[in-house]
Amino acid sequence: MEASHSEVLAALAAATSQDINQLRPAEMRLKGWETSPGFYAALLSAFADLGQPVNVRWMAVLCMKNGVDRFWRRNAPNAISEGEKASVRQALVACCLRELAPQILTQLAVLSSKIARHDWPREWPELLNQLLEGVQQPGSRQQALLVLHHVVKTLSSKRLAGDRRLFQELSSSLFPHILLIFEQNMAAEAVTEGTLALKILRQITVHGFKAPYEEAAVRSFLDSAIPRTRVLIEMRQNASDQAAIQKLASLMLKLLSDILEHHPFSFGPLVASTLQLIDNLILNDSGCSLLFERAAVQLLNLLKGILLCSEFKSDAFPAGQQAQQAKSQFFTPQMLQALCQRLVARFLPLSQDELKQWAEDAEAFAADEGGECWRYALRPCVESCFVALFKEYNSHMVPPLIQMMQSNLSPTTPILLKEAIYTAVGLVSYELYDEVDFDSWFRGPLREELACTQADYRIIRRRIAWLLGQWSSVKLSPDLRPLLYSTQMTLLSGGEDMAVRLAAAQSLRNSLDDFDFSPEQIEPILGDCFNLLLTLLRDARECDSKMRVLSVASFVVERVGQAVRPHAAALVQCLPQLWAENHPMLRAAVAGALVPLVSALGPDHNQLSNFLLPVVETATNINEEAHVYLLEDGLDLWLCIMENVAQMSPQLLMLWPRVATLMEMTTEHMQICLQLTKAYLLLAPTQFLENHGRTLVHLLNDIMVDIKPEGQLQILRLVELIQRAEPAAMSILQPLVCRVICSVLQGDALPLLMALQLSVLARLLLDAQNVIAESINSIAQISGETPDAVLQRVLEVWLYSMNIITQPERRKLLALALVTLLAADDRRFCGILLAVAEVLNDVHGPQGDTLLLGSIALEEDSCEEDSTEFERRRKRLSLTDPVYLRVLATALQEQLDRLKRQVGQQTWLQLVSSVDVETLQQVRNFVTLD
């Protein structure tokens, strides 16, 4: 239904109302008009009318922007008409240039960029000229620059070759104009316009030229960027608008970082001047006093980028040679010593802001930012730069750090400096392996400092806790492990500061995450360890802190395994309380922590059964919004329960339909869903198949239609497990059997897939010949062939494929099934006898059937104490497999004798004489034919 201009205005006004009774109906009306002709022309009139309220105009622009996303493309359903789009394009730039409300102008700029992404240059070639004309007018310069920035930014993000070529052509023509505007605004100290022009220049320079430094104008601009950055940083202190100058300086440094990242060869000539800038502002006291935090982060990241840039480590190109020369001249032993001392003494100590945050909220202070926080946070940036320096110049960086460490061990050393030195020693622990005797340091000075009870020494105790975790996997004698764990328990105690306790918890995790970890060394204090961790868990207020501590407790359980059983009661009591807090991320952590706990408890996890199943039910309920956080951990927990449970319960049996629902929805969780189904089959095959067998078979049959070979392999392994676990239920497999036979008849499956398909048919021949007969009859009716013709085609593929199947167990299984066909059909006598003879040669050794003897090893392994209930069930099932129970030579002899009785002596002799001499000779090594 078309809407009038007045109706659209009324709806827009109502949509900005705080009254929900007006808001919701208005939103519905606006949404209903999105596909109506004339709606976007009405929106254009609404936000172009400066007499309308600002909130109404703002809402009109938002509606237009959302509509462009969905309906502007020509091939979009209910696309906006070409006439309406033309009217919007014609009026949009003029609306932008006269707009005074900042919030509306920003939305109009974004709207213009979205339309330009689709229509420039074909339908909207005049856009850039109109904006450049607007830049020349003082009254519309800022508006035009803002719109141009958004348009250029959007166009630069297009990645198709044709689009990139167009943008490069645009950049070449646009760069001189924008550079002139930038220079004019900088000369006039028009910082806002200069910042917008610089944003445009950055996008053009980084994304609009293949080799920016080869362009004369760009080269001149880049050469001036570094001295201009220093000038901006120096003038910031005395500027009236420090924030604007700071933003401009940061943007200039961002330009240099982007050039280094995207065009390292163009940055090569800039390395020397960049390093000089870093020297002046980082190493020089007067320059360092001018720095603001964002600039320090960017400069140190530039230093790190220059150090690690692989293009600067090769002299194959002139830019690489320039960079290498600049680095060798800058990174002298004296400069590296100064850098080491400056980073440790000036940038690594805790700042007053950090100490204040610690005092106000220790948990927030101790939060681990993680990810790529070094890009924007000073401390992670300094740490990553320090590590990069050590890796590149290890021999020159080690001596000054060791000297600082040795000269600042006394109690009179300022606490913040000592903490910074300990931080540095921990960050580069691997590089200091041969320089630091950590055993002696730990036994002596570190333990003495931990005994200090002064209030400020919490700073040192927290850093020592972290340091122990850093060095424990690098250089710590095994006999000191018990002392290490005891020290960490002391730091975890309730009397310590919360930040110290959290650091000690993470340190404990790092200590246990060691290749040479021995559970026996921590077992004596395992009870104290869990009590302290759970106390910390209860004392923590922030969800993030709880998740971190819970992760540590979970990791301890995982590492000590069954040794946790005497101490599990406390965990069993704590986890339901955490689950009850109903925070999705915390619940996901609880579900994840339950996995190693259930695995460690094994069958004894029944004490958790009243809690576990509700957790699984909640985590796998796809109708709940929180399932996006919980599903993966919930499935892992469910599988762990199934692998360790001793017997099937009605509640577990009722849960399986959720597996079917997940498999119908997506293949994302296909693997774990199939693993769960296998666990159900091994636990209670009869009970499971009676309740869910037909549902499962129909589901697998549907999935097999368009799944990749890798998925078909997993499904066929499950089908084979059904055959082995419950041979009496093979009749339910008929829909799948028909699909398997059709696939075999095509004969183009990969060897591994063909082996599994033939294995499924082989087990049917051995235990359920009626099922395969019915399936062949069904295929024969569809194809118009006789059942016998279908069978002969299957046998032809089967016999041909025997040569490409390599697994001995599969070959023996297929041979056992082929032997059963000898007495039923003697037309393939020669081919079957040859195939079976080859398998006999493979599986027979001096003491007989080697696979049969292999079952003895399986029987011995089935009693391993460390195996899960799932593994024990799997091994017991293997002991019933015909591959390990039946002797192939005996089966062949029985079928040959049967065939001889059926056909008589004369026909028998004719059959034997039809076999080549070599095959007969091989067969007679295992059976008698006379």
Side-chain angles (χ1 to χ4, degrees):
M1 184 185 80
E2 293 189 24
S4 65
H5 179 64
S6 58
E7 288 177 322
V8 171
L9 284 176
L12 290 170
T16 62
S17 171
Q18 300 298 316
D19 185 356
I20 194 70
N21 295 321
Q22 295 185 39
L23 176 64
R24 290 294 171 79
E27 287 179 343
M28 295 301 295
R29 285 199 301 274
L30 290 171
K31 188 171 183 61
W33 290 331
E34 284 181 341
T35 56
S36 300
F39 176 61
Y40 296 97
L43 291 176
L44 175 64
S45 300
F47 66 69
D49 185 357
L50 299 180
Q52 294 294 331
V54 170
N55 58 348
V56 172
R57 298 174 58 229
W58 181 78
M59 182 60 67
V61 179
L62 285 185
C63 291
M64 173 84 78
K65 189 175 70 171
N66 294 334
V68 167
D69 285 336
R70 299 175 60 192
F71 305 112
W72 195 270
R73 287 181 296 109
R74 287 183 177 180
N75 57 351
N78 303 307
I80 302 171
S81 68
E82 291 300 319
E84 200 167 356
K85 289 197 287 188
S87 64
V88 170
R89 289 192 297 265
Q90 185 177 359
L92 188 55
V93 173
C95 292
C96 294
L97 296 182
R98 69 169 182 265
E99 185 57 59
L100 299 177
Q103 67 270 40
I104 297 179
L105 178 60
T106 300
Q107 295 301 325
L108 284 172
V110 174
L111 173 62
S112 301
S113 70
K114 288 179 178 292
I115 296 176
R117 185 180 186 90
H118 295 290
D119 291 357
W120 183 87
R122 291 180 179 83
E123 285 80 17
W124 206 5
E126 69 277 9
L127 168 64
L128 295 176
N129 289 332
Q130 291 177 337
L131 292 175
L132 288 174
E133 288 175 7
V135 169
Q136 304 304 322
Q137 304 300 321
S140 61
R141 179 172 299 153
Q142 187 171 333
Q143 293 93 324
L145 284 172
L146 179 63
V147 177
L148 186 58
H149 160 59
H150 281 278
V151 169
V152 168
K153 182 178 179 181
T154 299
L155 294 179
S156 70
S157 67
K158 301 178 78 172
R159 286 294 174 262
L160 292 178
D163 294 327
R164 297 190 70 173
R165 187 170 56 254
L166 279 173
F167 186 72
Q168 288 168 2
E169 294 172 1
L170 167 67
S171 299
S172 298
S173 61
L174 195 58
F175 186 87
H177 298 287
I178 304 302
L179 180 60
L180 178 62
I181 294 167
F182 172 69
E183 299 287 357
Q184 291 172 347
N185 282 290
M186 292 303 296
E189 297 186 0
V191 178
T192 303
E193 287 84 354
T195 301
L196 288 172
L198 183 56
K199 287 182 177 181
I200 300 169
L201 285 174
R202 184 173 74 86
Q203 294 293 338
I204 292 174
T205 304
V206 174
H207 302 290
F209 298 97
K210 291 183 179 180
Y213 205 76
E214 295 178 5
E215 303 290 332
V218 181
R219 180 166 60 250
S220 174
F221 169 62
L222 291 176
D223 287 337
S224 68
I226 294 171
R228 183 169 276 147
T229 300
R230 173 159 186 163
V231 170
L232 288 170
I233 290 175
E234 290 174 347
M235 66 182 288
R236 181 187 71 93
Q237 253 183 344
N238 300 319
S240 57
D241 190 352
Q242 290 189 358
I245 299 294
Q246 181 172 312
K247 185 176 182 180
L248 191 57
S250 294
L251 193 58
M252 196 71 76
L253 289 170
K254 174 64 175 169
L255 167 66
L256 294 173
S257 298
D258 287 347
I259 294 294
L260 174 58
E261 180 179 353
H262 296 282
H263 304 282
F265 289 124
S266 288
F267 193 84
L270 303 174
V271 170
S273 53
T274 303
L275 291 174
Q276 189 60 47
L277 178 67
I278 293 171
D279 181 15
N280 294 336
L281 295 176
I282 297 292
L283 296 177
N284 187 287
D285 287 333
S286 59
C288 199
S289 64
L290 300 173
L291 272 183
F292 52 94
E293 183 172 317
R294 180 62 187 152
V297 170
Q298 290 174 301
L299 285 168
L300 289 172
N301 281 332
L302 274 170
L303 177 61
K304 176 186 170 185
I306 292 170
L307 284 168
L308 300 181
C309 182
S310 58
E311 287 81 359
F312 296 165
K313 297 178 181 180
S314 169
D315 56 3
F317 300 94
Q321 295 172 4
Q322 283 182 281
Q324 281 189 333
Q325 183 179 2
K327 288 170 65 177
S328 62
Q329 292 175 354
F330 180 79
F331 292 112
T332 62
Q334 296 78 14
M335 178 59 71
L336 290 168
Q337 180 179 353
L339 270 171
C340 179
Q341 293 172 347
R342 171 66 69 169
L343 291 177
V344 173
R346 171 69 175 80
F347 290 99
L348 277 181
L350 293 172
S351 66
Q352 291 303 312
D353 289 340
E354 289 173 316
L355 292 173
K356 181 180 178 182
Q357 184 187 22
W358 187 344
E360 293 175 352
D361 189 347
E363 290 186 51
F365 167 76
D368 183 12
E369 294 178 319
E372 293 191 342
C373 56
W374 53 267
R375 290 186 178 274
Y376 55 83
L378 181 59
R379 176 165 296 280
C381 167
V382 174
E383 291 176 354
S384 65
C385 183
F386 186 76
V387 172
L389 276 167
F390 249 83
K391 288 184 177 179
E392 291 296 314
Y393 300 102
N394 182 287
S395 59
H396 296 298
M397 294 289 288
V398 168
L401 180 59
I402 294 296
Q403 192 273 331
M404 291 182 73
M405 172 185 165
Q406 292 173 347
S407 60
N408 289 281
L409 290 177
S410 67
T412 59
T413 302
I415 288 177
L416 293 181
L417 176 59
K418 183 180 287 189
E419 190 268 350
I421 294 171
Y422 288 1
T423 301
V425 173
L427 288 171
V428 293
S429 54
Y430 286 97
E431 283 72 20
L432 297 177
Y433 181 89
D434 295 322
E435 308 296 331
V436 176
D437 182 2
F438 191 74
D439 288 356
S440 300
W441 192 24
F442 173 43
R443 279 193 298 256
L446 291 182
R447 293 194 66 215
E448 292 173 4
E449 289 186 307
L450 287 173
C452 184
T453 57
Q454 295 178 20
D456 288 346
Y457 249 73
R458 63 191 177 130
I459 296 172
I460 297 297
R461 288 198 297 276
R462 171 180 172 270
R463 184 52 63 192
I464 291 176
W466 172 84
L467 190 64
L468 293 176
Q470 293 294 109
W471 273 89
S472 59
S473 60
V474 177
K475 190 178 184 181
L476 185 70
S477 299
D479 58 334
L480 284 179
R481 288 270 168 185
L483 180 61
L484 169 68
Y485 300 140
S486 175
T487 303
Q488 289 167 332
M489 295 306 104
T490 302
L491 293 169
L492 273 170
S493 61
E496 279 288 357
D497 183 270
M498 177 60 75
V500 177
R501 295 166 71 189
L502 290 171
Q506 188 59 41
S507 173
L508 175 64
R509 191 190 194 286
N510 293 343
S511 301
L512 299 182
D513 192 11
D514 184 69
F515 182 77
D516 296 323
F517 169 72
S518 174
E520 292 76 16
Q521 291 181 318
I522 198 174
E523 280 186 20
I525 60 170
L526 203 52
D528 294 337
C529 176
F530 281 116
N531 288 334
L532 289 169
L533 285 173
L534 295 179
T535 300
L536 177 57
L537 200 56
R538 285 189 289 269
D539 292 345
R541 302 186 314 276
E542 299 292 334
C543 179
D544 180 66
S545 301
K546 293 180 180 180
M547 289 169 60
R548 288 169 58 196
V549 177
L550 187 58
S551 171
V552 174
S554 173
F555 189 74
V556 175
V557 172
E558 182 181 338
R559 294 297 278 165
V560 302
Q562 295 182 4
V564 76
R565 291 181 179 181
H567 316 287
L571 274 171
V572 170
Q573 183 180 4
C574 177
L575 292 177
Q577 297 172 3
L578 292 173
W579 181 265
E581 293 188 21
N582 199 20
H583 189 289
M585 297 300 292
L586 184 58
R587 281 191 161 189
V590 171
L594 283 168
V595 174
L597 180 60
V598 171
S599 180
L601 293 176
D604 296 338
H605 75 269
N606 290 333
Q607 56 187 304
L608 276 167
S609 57
N610 292 334
F611 174 53
L612 290 174
L613 292 184
V615 169
V616 173
E617 288 178 1
T618 302
T620 58
N621 185 358
I622 59 174
N623 296 319
E624 295 286 341
E625 291 184 2
H627 86 275
V628 296
Y629 304 101
L630 303 175
L631 182 58
E632 190 171 339
D633 291 304
L635 290 172
D636 289 337
L637 175 59
W638 189 357
L639 179 60
C640 188
I641 294 170
M642 293 301 304
E643 289 179 344
N644 289 278
V645 72
Q647 59 184 9
M648 182 70 77
S649 67
Q651 294 86 352
L652 277 174
L653 195 62
M654 290 170 60
L655 269 179
W656 185 84
R658 296 195 176 184
V659 172
T661 303
L662 280 173
M663 292 172 69
E664 287 175 344
M665 286 179 55
T666 176
T667 58
E668 181 181 357
H669 305 288
M670 175 71 68
Q671 187 169 0
I672 194 168
C673 287
L674 292 175
Q675 289 175 329
L676 272 167
T677 306
K678 289 178 183 178
Y680 271 92
L681 279 166
L682 285 172
L683 179 61
T686 304
Q687 193 177 0
F688 174 73
L689 291 173
E690 285 178 354
N691 286 272
H692 306 299
R694 297 194 180 278
T695 301
L696 172 63
V697 170
H698 286 297
L699 175 62
L700 297 179
N701 191 41
D702 291 340
I703 294 174
M704 286 279 283
V705 173
D706 54 0
I707 198 169
K708 293 180 179 179
E710 294 82 0
Q712 293 182 35
L713 284 172
Q714 295 184 37
I715 290 175
L716 288 175
R717 289 191 182 104
L718 178 60
V719 172
E720 190 179 24
L721 181 61
I722 295 173
Q723 294 176 305
R724 293 168 55 203
E726 191 64 19
M730 286 195 193
S731 58
I732 66 171
L733 295 174
Q734 187 172 347
L736 271 170
V737 174
C738 291
R739 188 174 297 282
V740 169
I741 293 174
C742 291
S743 180
V744 169
L745 289 174
Q746 292 176 2
D748 56 357
L750 297 173
L752 192 58
L753 183 56
M754 179 63 75
L756 266 172
Q757 291 172 343
L758 294 177
S759 296
V760 169
L761 301 184
R763 293 187 184 279
L764 289 169
L765 282 172
L766 291 173
D767 295 315
Q769 292 186 359
N770 61 313
V771 175
I772 198 168
E774 291 175 6
S775 301
I776 287 176
N777 288 336
S778 299
I779 294 171
Q781 290 178 2
I782 296 172
S783 63
E785 300 176 86
T786 64
D788 182 67
V790 175
L791 177 61
Q792 292 305 315
R793 288 172 56 202
V794 171
L795 284 175
E796 183 178 352
V797 176
W798 191 326
L799 292 172
Y800 173 80
S801 301
M802 289 296 288
N803 292 324
I804 64 173
I805 296 171
T806 58
Q807 306 98 314
E809 292 84 356
R810 297 277 176 211
R811 287 173 61 79
K812 181 179 176 181
L813 176 63
L814 299 184
L816 284 170
L818 285 173
V819 163
T820 63
L821 295 175
L822 281 172
D825 187 352
D826 58 13
R827 285 174 294 177
R828 294 280 180 178
F829 182 79
C830 294
I832 292 175
L833 209 59
L834 175 60
V836 174
E838 291 175 347
V839 176
L840 282 169
N841 285 320
D842 292 339
V843 302
H844 266 258
Q847 297 181 349
D849 194 326
T850 56
L851 291 179
L852 183 68
L853 296 174
S855 65
I856 298 175
L858 286 171
E859 190 171 6
E860 291 172 351
D861 293 343
S862 65
C863 299
E864 291 179 4
E865 292 184 1
D866 293 338
S867 296
T868 63
E869 289 292 323
F870 174 83
E871 288 298 320
R872 285 192 281 270
R873 287 191 286 265
R874 187 181 61 80
K875 290 175 181 177
R876 284 196 295 268
L877 181 61
S878 296
L879 294 176
T880 65
D881 196 319
V883 173
Y884 302 111
L885 290 179
R886 298 182 63 178
V887 180
L888 179 56
T890 303
L892 176 59
Q893 186 69 67
E894 290 173 356
Q895 291 299 323
L896 289 174
D897 292 343
R898 182 181 174 189
L899 177 60
K900 184 176 180 181
R901 290 193 299 270
Q902 283 181 357
V903 302
Q905 184 67 22
Q906 183 177 358
T907 306
W908 168 253
L909 292 175
Q910 291 176 355
L911 286 173
V912 172
S913 63
S914 65
V915 181
D916 63 277
V917 175
E918 186 178 349
T919 301
L920 285 176
Q921 186 177 355
Q922 292 183 38
V923 172
R924 284 193 170 100
N925 291 331
F926 305 101
V927 297
T928 59
L929 297 175
D930 301 329

